[in-house]
DNA sequence: CCACCAGTAAACAATT
DNA sequence: TAATTGTTTACTGGTG
């Protein structure tokens, strides 16, 4: 992520982790150990707003008493354990998602632990940092590998990407600085990010055009002067959430944890590959609005896989859908916190609170 | 079986 | 004229 997650809300009432914990101490220690084994150190664990940052205080002795808290919140944000250490600091996800994504694979969860995590419906926040922390900075930096690597190429570059053409087009357009591309540039983006298409039969271009014409999510706008033949294509804001949801339905996540390293040597997609999103997310001048939230959701989907969108709480989907409708009705409370959390998830700390 | 969706192929017109 | 772009129709296969 580009910036350290903030979310220090509410201070740290749980600094003394000796008080009753909403998770078994054993589980917390195992999470800490496992995160450490992946080359990162667990800096902080947030459970239901309670921050645990002193793991030495946690012993294995008193698990049972920890579970007195009913329906604790669990949300996990840490580098997925078997993922290579990300170039960004903090990741967020749900505990179950992490289980799927191997973060907790090395943890021998007992049956009761599993039951516990099933029982836990809210969220734990795990904050990690690399052993050698990189400088953290919100200021946009030039892309290190501008548009060289796919957003974590699914399986490998020579197999057909598990994305529908509408998703490919969506990603291409969203990645464009002006969020508008001529069809030729859409071809180019797809080829650049999914080399499979370099040698694929030419019919796929027909499919792209077919999709642009037929899919109501895409709109043609007036061609820029000097552009030559053809028009610019944009994503209809009214349908952006539809595309995000379609992205979330893709059967294979874009991040294959066990996949071979990409040519850049990392498996995690780099949000910097998506200049528009990165710029929007890094822009500290303007208060975050619909674009930022949608950008955050998109980055989340691209970074962690579309399934992560399913892991978001219902409130997040409410925020996303409202953003898609250009409704800025954050009246404070849950939605507002969710909007902020969405940005945090994407690695952004809003300089200003979401406006209404 | 049916409806729906996505992918593919192809025909055709318009544009450069 | 050729290539590209955009639209439309038809068909196929997968899925719920």
């Amino acid at each position: 992520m580009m910036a350290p997650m903030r979310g220090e809300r509410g201070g740290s009432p749980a600094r003394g982790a000796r008080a009753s914990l909403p998770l078994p101490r054993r589980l917390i220690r195992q999470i800490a150990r496992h995160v450490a084994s992946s080359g990162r150190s667990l800096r902080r664990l947030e459970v239901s707003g309670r921050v645990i940052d002193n793991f030495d205080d946690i012993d294995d002795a008193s698990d049972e008493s920890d579970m007195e808290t009913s329906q604790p919140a669990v949300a996990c944000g840490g580098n997925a354990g078997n993922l290579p250490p990300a170039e960004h600091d903090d990741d967020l996800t749900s505990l179950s998602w992490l289980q799927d994504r191997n973060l907790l694979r090395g943890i021998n969860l007992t049956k009761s632990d599993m039951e516990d995590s099933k029982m836990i419906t809210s969220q734990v926040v795990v904050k990690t940092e690399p052993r050698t922390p990189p400088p953290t900075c919100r200021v946009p930096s030039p892309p290190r590998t501008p548009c060289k690597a796919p957003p974590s190429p699914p399986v490998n570059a020579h197999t057909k990407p598990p994305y529908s053409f509408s998703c490919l087009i969506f990603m291409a357009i969203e990645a464009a600085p002006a969020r508008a591309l001529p069809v030729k540039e859409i071809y180019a983006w797809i080829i650049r990010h999914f080399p499979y298409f370099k040698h694929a039969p030419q019919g796929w271009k027909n499919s792209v055009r077919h999709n642009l014409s037929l899919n109501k999510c895409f709109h043609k706008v007036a061609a820029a002067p000097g552009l030559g033949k053809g028009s610019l294509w944009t994503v209809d804001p009214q349908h952006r959430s539809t595309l995000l949801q379609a992205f979330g339905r893709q059967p294979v996540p874009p991040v294959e944890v066990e996949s071979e390293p990409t040519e850049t040597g990392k498996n995690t997609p780099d949000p910097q590959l998506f200049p528009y999103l990165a710029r929007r997310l890094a822009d500290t001048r303007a208060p975050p609005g619909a674009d930022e939230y949608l950008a955050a959701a998109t980055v989340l989907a691209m970074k962690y896989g579309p399934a992560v969108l399913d892991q978001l709480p219902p409130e997040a989907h409410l925020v996303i859908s409202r953003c898609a409708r250009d409704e800025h009705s954050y009246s404070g409370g849950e939605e507002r916190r969710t909007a902020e959390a969405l940005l945090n998830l994407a690695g952004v700390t809003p300089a200003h609170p979401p406006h209404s």
Side-chain angles (χ1 to χ4, degrees):
Chain A
M1 295 290 182
M2 285 171 283
M5 181 193 56
R6 230 133 296 152
E8 307 283 347
R9 55 185 182 276
S12 51
R15 176 171 275 279
R18 292 210 175 273
S20 104
L21 292 168
L23 275 183
R25 293 173 194 274
R26 181 178 66 254
L27 183 54
I28 293 172
R29 288 190 64 109
Q30 284 180 325
I31 291 172
R33 272 192 230 111
H34 191 70
V35 169
S37 74
S38 69
R40 302 167 73 86
S41 63
L42 187 60
R43 199 164 70 225
R44 198 188 61 152
L45 182 67
E46 185 177 322
V47 183
S48 292
R50 293 180 45 206
V51 176
I52 305 163
D53 54 8
N54 186 351
F55 298 93
D56 295 334
D57 281 351
I58 300 174
D59 55 40
D60 292 326
S62 51
D63 290 344
E64 288 68 23
S65 62
D66 294 334
M67 293 311 293
E68 289 168 2
T69 307
S70 62
Q71 301 300 312
V74 178
C76 228
N79 187 34
N82 288 357
L83 283 172
E87 69 278 18
H88 302 299
D89 191 0
D90 299 309
D91 304 332
L92 287 167
T93 180
S94 77
L95 188 60
S96 60
W97 182 83
L98 286 172
Q99 186 73 41
D100 292 339
R101 292 303 186 104
N102 298 340
L103 173 63
L104 304 179
R105 178 175 289 178
I107 300 175
N108 290 324
L109 296 179
T110 65
K111 189 178 176 183
S112 64
D113 287 335
M114 295 303 291
E115 289 303 313
D116 290 340
S117 34
K118 280 180 195 165
M119 186 184 73
I120 295 164
T121 56
S122 40
Q123 314 217 312
V124 173
V125 174
V126 178
K127 188 165 188 179
T128 65
E129 63 184 3
R131 285 280 159 75
T132 308
T136 56
C137 182
R138 293 196 59 199
V139 178
S141 55
R144 282 152 300 183
T145 53
C147 299
K148 276 185 184 168
S152 91
V155 189
N156 70 58
H158 302 291
T159 59
K160 192 174 182 180
Y163 303 108
S164 67
F165 281 110
S166 58
C167 284
L168 293 174
I169 296 167
F170 172 56
M171 285 192 279
I173 294 175
E174 286 294 302
R179 282 201 296 178
L181 282 181
V183 68
K184 199 171 185 176
E185 292 301 313
I186 295 175
Y187 296 155
W189 188 94
I190 291 174
I191 290 174
R192 191 160 59 238
H193 290 81
F194 299 95
Y196 159 82
F197 288 104
K198 203 170 187 174
H199 304 292
Q202 289 298 296
W204 70 273
K205 291 183 177 177
N206 192 3
S207 296
V208 168
R209 295 196 307 274
H210 167 77
N211 209 295
L212 284 169
S213 286
L214 219 61
N215 196 326
K216 60 182 181 299
C217 298
F218 304 117
H219 279 177
K220 207 169 54 173
V221 298
L227 186 66
K229 202 169 12 178
S231 312
L232 291 174
W233 290 91
T234 62
V235 174
D236 183 351
Q238 300 287 324
H239 291 97
R240 186 174 279 125
S241 63
T242 304
L243 287 168
L244 268 176
Q245 286 161 14
F247 192 70
R249 284 196 302 268
Q250 298 298 309
V252 180
V255 179
E256 283 293 326
V257 175
E258 303 286 340
S259 67
E260 293 177 4
T262 70
E263 56 184 317
T264 56
K266 46 183 185 180
N267 287 332
T268 52
D270 187 349
Q272 299 273 13
L273 290 171
F274 307 95
Y276 172 80
L277 299 179
R279 193 166 59 251
R280 294 296 294 185
L281 292 174
D283 188 353
T284 61
R285 291 165 300 179
D291 274 353
E292 284 70 29
Y293 300 129
L294 287 168
T298 306
V299 165
L300 277 176
M302 290 174 174
K303 184 172 177 62
Y304 298 115
V308 76
L309 295 179
D310 292 334
Q311 306 289 334
L312 297 177
E315 296 84 0
H317 291 281
L318 187 62
V319 169
I320 291 171
S321 61
R322 287 195 176 179
C323 288
R325 296 195 302 268
D326 259 355
E327 293 177 16
H328 300 252
S329 54
Y330 303 111
S331 54
E334 197 60 33
E335 275 186 44
R336 181 182 180 128
R337 284 193 295 275
T338 303
E340 290 171 348
L342 199 57
L343 290 173
N344 281 335
L345 282 165
V348 175
T349 301
H352 313 275
H355 57 90
S356 54

